Amino acid sequence: MICKSNKPRNADATKEAILEAARIAFSEKGIDGVGVREIAEAAGCNAALVNRYFGGKEQLFAAALVGAFDMSQLLELPKDQFAEAMAAYMVSKRTEHKTFDPMFLALRSIFNPSAMELVRQEIQTHVTDVYASWLDGENRQLRAAMIGSLFAGFYLSRFVMCSESMGFEHDETLAPLLAKTLQIYVEG
Amino acid sequence: MICKSNKPRNADATKEAILEAARIAFSEKGIDGVGVREIAEAAGCNAALVNRYFGGKEQLFAAALVGAFDMSQLLELPKDQFAEAMAAYMVSKRTEHKTFDPMFLALRSIFNPSAMELVRQEIQTHVTDVYASWLDGENRQLRAAMIGSLFAGFYLSRFVMCSESMGFEHDETLAPLLAKTLQIYVEG
DNA sequence: TTGAAATGTCAACATTCGTTTACTTGAGTT
DNA sequence: AACTCAAGTAAACGAATGTTGACATTTCAA
């Protein structure tokens, strides 16, 4: 053998590399669109290590999902600034397809039965409940869910309808439209 | 052989049976979640016939998609009744998982690259453009896309967040909320 | 240095998939 | 009734999947 692997062995580092590669790959192709060999190659290791460190593909997805939805900083704003700030945030997020995006991590695997349950729990505990308790008035759960619904639908539509003729790039028109919608759900 | 197939041979009928089985199966499991053998079995024929009659799985999906989005009757309403009518329509549609639903036919396969292009074209020509030309005022394409976005997000959220604690079943609360949102996009 | 545990590699397993080929069975025509 | 072509079936192919076990290599403590 001429070529030996000269990089030092480090379980924690490779485990983290697998996790990072998984987050990106799952975001781009979904849990059913990417194979463990592909993830392992992106992480620079062997596919068998995925099972050794995470127990399987599904549990790797679960690990990639934890902490993906941390929207706490958005909720530190005063309520009368929230709608506008979130609209600006939604508009600003471009789907470059190359950077990790927690929204797509969830969206692209949402129809895999195992993944859906994981996503559902993660969204329920870290998004909907947080929003609901932050809101005032009645029907907080429903209004929080509608905020998430608007978020998901907007992401999905802009991703699918990427055509320039749709008008999704006219931020100065889009942002107020979104803000007005969000305001409805915030006010109740 | 004791048991012979006694049903008459009919190419058009089996072709239609395959198409109908495909529409249901694709709606329930997505293009990547169902196999041609499964579809053929539901249609009561052999998997090879799928390729004989449609040329392949992807073209079968394309055939299942044509005409799925016919929203023309919703647009016959006067504009001041549209938001309320569509909100009522969205609320009334329960995702029973057993009946064919064009929205899920598109949604569940949206992240398959081949299917996404087909869905995008179908939505663009049969939904967005129709809505856009129906609307008045400025930014019609964008506002039409936002109506579709709201529609998709709502379907998706209600499907994923099927928990009873979310409030998606309180039609008397949900419908006015949706109508108020739709009105924003109709008015512009 | 020696031994053992940790880390990584390799090859194979058993499925499943879409698709194709060769074949059999049926219906309609002359 | 015999012939013919369409309709349907069965089996196999090649590729890709997640997963596993045996094996090799490195690391580190005794």
Side-chain angles (χ1 to χ4, degrees):
Chain A
M1 282 279 193
I2 316 174
C3 175
K4 282 285 183 187
S5 93
N6 48 359
K7 63 180 174 183
R9 295 188 168 188
N10 187 335
D12 292 343
T14 58
K15 189 173 178 178
E16 194 58 39
I18 292 173
L19 196 57
E20 182 62 19
R23 275 198 255 256
I24 295 176
F26 285 149
S27 303
E28 290 177 352
K29 308 189 179 183
I31 189 173
D32 290 324
V34 67
V36 292
R37 288 172 177 83
E38 191 177 342
I39 295 176
E41 189 184 15
C45 70
N46 193 278
L49 293 184
V50 170
N51 285 328
R52 192 204 289 283
Y53 288 137
F54 293 93
K57 189 189 190 182
E58 185 178 321
Q59 302 170 57
L60 174 61
F61 180 81
L65 207 59
V66 306
F69 298 98
D70 182 16
M71 321 229 96
S72 53
Q73 57 182 7
L74 251 180
L75 300 184
E76 292 172 356
L77 290 166
K79 281 195 179 51
D80 56 353
Q81 297 179 17
F82 170 81
E84 199 172 342
M86 182 158 180
Y89 172 79
M90 289 169 69
V91 165
S92 72
K93 280 278 231 160
R94 286 274 166 267
T95 61
E96 298 297 337
H97 296 213
K98 269 304 150 200
T99 78
F100 163 69
D101 188 323
M103 191 64 181
F104 273 101
L105 178 61
L107 263 186
R108 298 207 77 141
S109 303
I110 202 68
F111 289 123
N112 176 291
S114 314
M116 186 172 78
E117 182 56 27
L118 292 167
V119 169
R120 199 194 62 75
Q121 290 179 9
E122 193 75 10
I123 292 182
Q124 173 109 27
T125 52
H126 287 85
V127 181
T128 314
D129 286 351
V130 173
Y131 275 127
S133 63
W134 176 78
L135 289 169
D136 292 327
E138 298 185 340
N139 307 116
R140 293 186 236 187
Q141 278 281 351
L142 178 61
R143 283 154 54 212
M146 288 304 297
I147 292 178
S149 165
L150 187 78
F151 204 174
F154 177 74
Y155 258 61
L156 191 64
S157 294
R158 194 170 57 176
F159 178 70
V160 176
M161 296 296 173
C162 50
S163 159
E164 276 84 15
S165 63
M166 299 298 295
F168 275 131
E169 321 77 26
H170 297 146
D171 294 2
E172 60 279 2
T173 310
L174 182 54
L177 212 55
L178 283 169
K180 213 185 292 184
T181 310
L182 286 166
Q183 191 60 29
I184 289 178
Y185 303 138
V186 173
E187 290 175 351
Chain B
M1 281 277 193
I2 315 174
C3 176
K4 283 284 181 184
S5 94
N6 48 357
K7 63 179 173 183
R9 295 187 169 190
N10 187 336
D12 292 342
T14 57
K15 188 173 179 179
E16 195 58 37
I18 292 174
L19 195 57
E20 182 62 20
R23 276 197 255 256
I24 296 175
F26 284 148
S27 302
E28 290 176 352
K29 309 188 179 182
I31 190 173
D32 290 324
V34 67
V36 292
R37 288 171 176 84
E38 191 178 343
I39 295 175
E41 190 184 15
C45 70
N46 191 277
L49 293 184
V50 170
N51 284 329
R52 193 205 289 283
Y53 288 138
F54 293 93
K57 190 190 191 183
E58 185 179 322
Q59 302 170 57
L60 174 62
F61 180 80
L65 207 59
V66 305
F69 298 98
D70 183 16
M71 321 229 96
S72 53
Q73 57 182 7
L74 251 180
L75 300 184
E76 293 173 355
L77 290 167
K79 281 194 179 53
D80 56 353
Q81 297 178 18
F82 170 81
E84 198 171 342
M86 182 159 180
Y89 173 79
M90 289 169 68
V91 165
S92 70
K93 280 279 231 159
R94 285 276 166 268
T95 62
E96 299 298 339
H97 296 214
K98 269 304 149 199
T99 79
F100 163 69
D101 189 323
M103 191 66 181
F104 273 100
L105 179 62
L107 263 186
R108 299 207 77 141
S109 303
I110 201 69
F111 289 123
N112 176 292
S114 314
M116 186 172 78
E117 183 55 26
L118 293 167
V119 169
R120 197 194 62 75
Q121 289 179 8
E122 193 76 10
I123 292 182
Q124 173 109 26
T125 52
H126 288 85
V127 181
T128 314
D129 287 350
V130 174
Y131 275 126
S133 62
W134 176 79
L135 289 170
D136 293 326
E138 298 185 342
N139 307 116
R140 294 186 234 186
Q141 277 282 350
L142 178 60
R143 283 153 54 210
M146 288 305 296
I147 292 177
S149 165
L150 187 78
F151 204 174
F154 177 73
Y155 257 61
L156 192 64
S157 294
R158 193 170 57 176
F159 177 70
V160 175
M161 296 296 173
C162 50
S163 159
E164 276 84 15
S165 63
M166 299 298 295
F168 275 132
E169 321 77 27
H170 295 147
D171 295 1
E172 60 280 0
T173 311
L174 182 53
L177 213 55
L178 283 169
K180 212 185 293 184
T181 309
L182 287 166
Q183 191 60 30
I184 289 179
Y185 304 139
V186 173
E187 290 174 351

